Amino acid sequence: MKRVGIVVILFFFFLQSCKTLSTQRQPYIVAKKSATALKQDLILLRKILEANHPGLYWYTPKDSMDLFFDQSIISITDSLDEVQFKNKVAWLVSKIRCGHTTVFFSKAYTKNAVQFRFPSFPLYLKAWGDSLVVLANLNQRDPIFKRGTIVTGINGRTNRQVLDTLFQFISSDGYAFNYKNQVVSGNFPIWYKTILGVDSSYTISYIDSTGQEASATVGNYKPVVDTTRRTRPQSPQPRVKLPNRRELRKARLLAKRELRIDSSSNTAIMRLATFSNGGLRGFFRRSFRTIKQKNIPHLVIDMRENGGGKVASSILLAKYLSDHPFKVGDSVVATSREFKYSHYINPSLVYWFAMNFGARKMADGSIHYRRYETKLFQPKERLHYSGQVTLLQGGYSFSATTMFISTLKGQKNITVAGEESGGGYYGNSAMYIPTITLPRSKLRISLPMYRLVMGSTRPRGHGIIPDLEIPPSSDAIRKGIDPKMQKIMEMIQHNAFKPGL
């Protein structure tokens, strides 16, 4: 009987493994959904946003948003696949001008997205202003479009026309378009393919080595799979030592935060890629202890990769640097804490408890998170840093990072350098951000629950404008140098930073 039981169990596992292998061999198919089903999803999304979003009409008046909703629903006249429908929803959501309200593919599509990666547009391009410059070329044997080549147009469209087309599908805080520049620069081939589709070839205008405008036609990129039979190596290959768990953990932490001391300029350089995870409390304490022990007069905090994270972590870092008590914001307001249509919002219960027991309904009828409106956070006395500080920001500097930088901007020993931040200087809609899942298409949309005004007297609609602007350049890209850090270090070495710069 025992043998029969073992055979049955083994046979069961064999069937399961065959089923798994069969499933793995079958490609994921992006099925089209009917126009009726997709319209129902958009109607539901409209109801959810109108009931819960705190900044739905912050930048776009209600009559205009109503028109955008109506246009999007009416425009669906036939069945669409997930990519096509996502583009429609992303276009609609971008009209809110809220960088924390963004559209994501379904979990199933995301899990299988790698199979749709190719063919693709062949060039990675860096975008800023009206400029597009080659960062990398997937067709490595291409003799023309090397790193640093200036592109002036694609398939008859000017750079501005290309970027304006892509930007319509990217959400940002107000009119802080530098965030959109950074997003597009992060993966230009994917954005181009998703919005403009795939061509077998592209006619690209560029500036040649003589400084004249020229054009060339390049094919799309599709990796070639080597189907030749590989021969067994004649000699044994050296075994590569794999990193252990401790080494992997250290590498993951270094990817999030790092402190190094440049002895030649007596400067501490802190790279901070997130305000979430990474053991930041201990990292900040150790870092400022090291800086104090070594008596370092200059500190550079590089936050160009920092998209935000925990507000508590950004407050903690500000305590080490601020020369005055500070608040998070003038107002932190939600329109509702009922979580209407909670069946489609996840996680809703956790945030429901937080908003019902951690916030108060005030005389204006809105829900206020009073702690961040009223509490004055005191600067640290122990390990407080009062030397010259440069905060390096860019288009990816967002959310909690913008809160941190805006708290310190204008302080006499603080210089904000780089490019306009992606996050709004006046405020944003954020704090608690659950996710809407539309029932038919399974698209996911992030839903901020609070509208934060960091400074009611600040200019509204853009990111933080740096005190010291250091733009990108095609020459720096071609040479592979970091012009922003290079400029800052030169100024430190020449003692060029002045109070209030």
Side-chain angles (χ1 to χ4, degrees), residues 297-298 386-391 408-417 467-468 487-488 490-501:
H298 301 284
S386 302
Q388 172 64 47
V389 181
T390 304
L391 306 178
L408 300 173
K409 183 174 170 60
Q411 189 171 304
K412 64 180 181 180
N413 66 322
I414 302 288
T415 300
V416 179
D467 306 310
L468 175 64
K487 176 68 174 179
I488 290 168
E490 287 175 357
M491 293 183 69
I492 288 173
Q493 290 175 338
H494 291 89
N495 196 28
F497 281 110
K498 306 297 181 185
L501 177 62

Side-chain angles (χ1 to χ4, degrees), residues 400-473:
T401 304
T402 313
M403 298 179 199
F404 166 75
I405 296 173
S406 66
T407 296
L408 300 173
K409 183 174 170 60
Q411 189 171 304
K412 64 180 181 180
N413 66 322
I414 302 288
T415 300
V416 179
E419 302 174 60
E420 180 185 2
S421 69
Y425 184 38
Y426 176 82
N428 59 51
S429 293
M431 309 303 286
Y432 296 157
I433 312 178
T435 301
I436 303 165
T437 301
L438 299 179
R440 297 161 187 88
S441 65
K442 303 301 180 183
L443 287 185
R444 295 168 293 157
I445 300 93
S446 53
L447 174 66
M449 297 306 299
Y450 281 101
R451 186 178 71 187
L452 165 66
V453 175
M454 295 185 287
S456 57
T457 61
R458 295 174 183 171
R460 178 175 163 181
H462 290 276
I464 300 172
I465 304 302
D467 306 310
L468 175 64
E469 186 171 5
I470 312 173
S473 75

Side-chain angles (χ1 to χ4, degrees), residues 242-253:
L242 297 176
N244 57 37
R245 293 176 63 182
R246 183 177 180 182
E247 291 169 334
L248 287 172
R249 181 177 181 274
K250 184 178 180 180
R252 285 194 292 266
L253 288 175

Side-chain angles (χ1 to χ4, degrees), residues 77-147:
T77 58
D78 200 354
S79 58
L80 301 173
D81 64 29
E82 186 166 339
V83 175
Q84 293 168 328
F85 185 57
K86 178 184 178 291
N87 286 344
K88 283 193 175 291
V89 179
W91 178 89
L92 169 63
V93 166
S94 73
K95 304 307 179 187
I96 304 172
R97 298 193 181 279
C98 170
H100 287 90
T101 310
T102 53
V103 185
F104 303 93
F105 285 108
S106 67
K107 289 183 178 180
Y109 184 94
T110 302
K111 182 179 179 181
N112 294 278
V114 66
Q115 76 183 57
F116 308 114
R117 185 178 177 187
F118 303 109
S120 74
F121 184 81
L123 304 179
Y124 281 83
L125 301 177
K126 169 68 176 175
W128 74 95
D130 292 336
S131 299
L132 288 173
V133 176
V134 176
L135 290 173
N137 189 341
L138 293 172
N139 294 319
Q140 297 181 3
R141 296 182 179 179
D142 184 341
I144 297 175
F145 295 104
K146 301 294 186 182
R147 181 180 175 91

